[in-house]
Amino acid sequence: MPMKGEYTVGINYWPINTGMNFWRSFDKGEISEDFSKIKEADLNVIRVFLLWEDFQPLPAKLSTKTIDRLITVMEIANDVRVKILPTLFTGHMSGVNYIPPWLLDFGEENTCFPVISEGKKRKNRIRNFYSDRELRERQRLFIREISNALKGHPSLWAWDLGNEPSNVVQPLSKEEGIGWLEEMVSELKRADESIPVTIGLHIKDLEEDRNMGPKEVSRFCDFLSIHTYSIYAKWGDHLLDEDVVPFLAMITNWLGQKDVLIEEVGIPSSNTYKNDVVVSEEEAHNYYERLLKKLKHYPFLGVLFWCYGDYESPLWNNPPLDENPHERFFGLFRANKSPKPFINLINILREENKKKPLKYDWIDIEPSDYYKEPLDNLKRLYRRFKECQG
């Protein structure tokens, strides 16, 4: 589990040849091979995603077959001596919302992302699972079933309540977000108080007030997690601006006043495909080298790379890869499972070095004032941060 003084280096995982069909097209042999490769790369935590529809196809019933497959994943992890960070309530993934049919309602869409349910694109509204009492009970059932299944397992590193949940539905108020967090974290802690809990926040949670930012999360979660992609930071200096990553982590720490895990960081790279955000493997190598040499001096909890591998071409015609082609190439490994040249740079984070305490003398406002104009404040503070670095 994440402890002070222990630096975590890990990875986010979907299989190369099945992607988001992971749990339905389950291949124990492939997972064993992948986890062994991950361990050989000296990565010690693997974040996996419990796609909501696959685990809870009906509101009052979880899939025992899928839970058994999750237990198998935990056993494989234990065999190769890595830890697992399960992400619960995974609806949003790589620009698409995967939603069980019972979470959909009639009415206009309330998300800017495509909705997939039962393998088809839907135009339905997603129900507000923060405020609806019935839905909150269904989520508590989800937590009870999963936490009891994994209770005491030696591979369980921490819990993640969700992947960028504000991209699925946003709480209508801070009180609503706080109430949901308190209820879900309390349910997890009933199974085992010693297992830490976090939730995967992202750049939009800092650019907008989505009613569940670092301050609200830190009231109940044991540590904060932030997703830090330079390619999505339109206020950054350029596509491969490595300073975006520590800056976002520092802002998250400053707002929430808790330790921060960089839960996702990466750059899409390929030597055979190119678009506005997919760079060459050489460019990615240079980016990671600059980034990791900086990150090793920051006292964050660690880094989880996005992601394990590029996806095989048969998946490219399906969501989310059909409309988001850059998502095909985020891997540390190519689709043929050969390592990209920058994978050895991970060792930079293992080097002995003295972590420097976080200093916030470049911030000229109080945390309570930040969300009055979040995007403007983020842009301005980034300029101040850059000047301080220079």
Side-chain angles (χ1 to χ4, degrees), residues 31-32 35-37 39 46 75-82:
I31 298 163
S32 296
F35 282 18
S36 294
K37 281 182 172 290
K39 179 64 177 179
I46 301 173
E75 293 298 325
I76 294 170
N78 193 49
D79 289 343
V80 301
R81 300 185 304 282
V82 295

Side-chain angles (χ1 to χ4, degrees), residues 99-110 115 117 122-128 132 135:
I99 306 298
W102 53 270
L103 260 178
L104 297 177
D105 205 350
F106 295 106
E108 293 183 9
E109 295 174 89
N110 55 349
V115 173
S117 185
R122 309 290 181 178
K123 295 292 185 181
N124 304 70
R125 170 180 290 271
I126 302 173
R127 297 167 67 186
N128 185 337
D132 189 304
L135 296 184

Side-chain angles (χ1 to χ4, degrees), residues 94-159:
S94 299
V96 169
N97 286 330
Y98 295 88
I99 306 298
W102 53 270
L103 260 178
L104 297 177
D105 205 350
F106 295 106
E108 293 183 9
E109 295 174 89
N110 55 349
T111 175
C112 61
F113 297 100
V115 173
I116 303 290
S117 185
E118 297 182 314
K120 296 180 180 179
K121 288 190 176 182
R122 309 290 181 178
K123 295 292 185 181
N124 304 70
R125 170 180 290 271
I126 302 173
R127 297 167 67 186
N128 185 337
F129 51 82
Y130 301 104
S131 60
D132 189 304
R133 291 306 313 171
E134 178 190 354
L135 296 184
R136 278 166 68 154
E137 178 52 41
R138 302 312 182 195
Q139 291 171 89
R140 289 172 60 195
L141 172 66
F142 184 113
I143 287 175
R144 285 196 298 272
E145 295 280 348
I146 299 299
S147 59
N148 286 334
L150 302 190
K151 187 174 182 178
H153 201 287
S155 292
L156 181 58
W157 186 71
W159 295 109

Side-chain angles (χ1 to χ4, degrees), residues 14 46 56 68 73 79 102 136 170 191 194 197 200 236 250 256 262 268 274 279 291 300 311 315 319 363:
W14 289 105
I46 301 173
Q56 197 172 19
D68 286 344
V73 168
D79 289 343
W102 53 270
R136 278 166 68 154
Q170 297 176 30
S194 69
V197 180
M250 289 187 74
I262 297 174
K274 180 76 174 178
V279 304
L291 172 63
F300 303 128
Y311 297 108
L315 297 177
I363 295 183

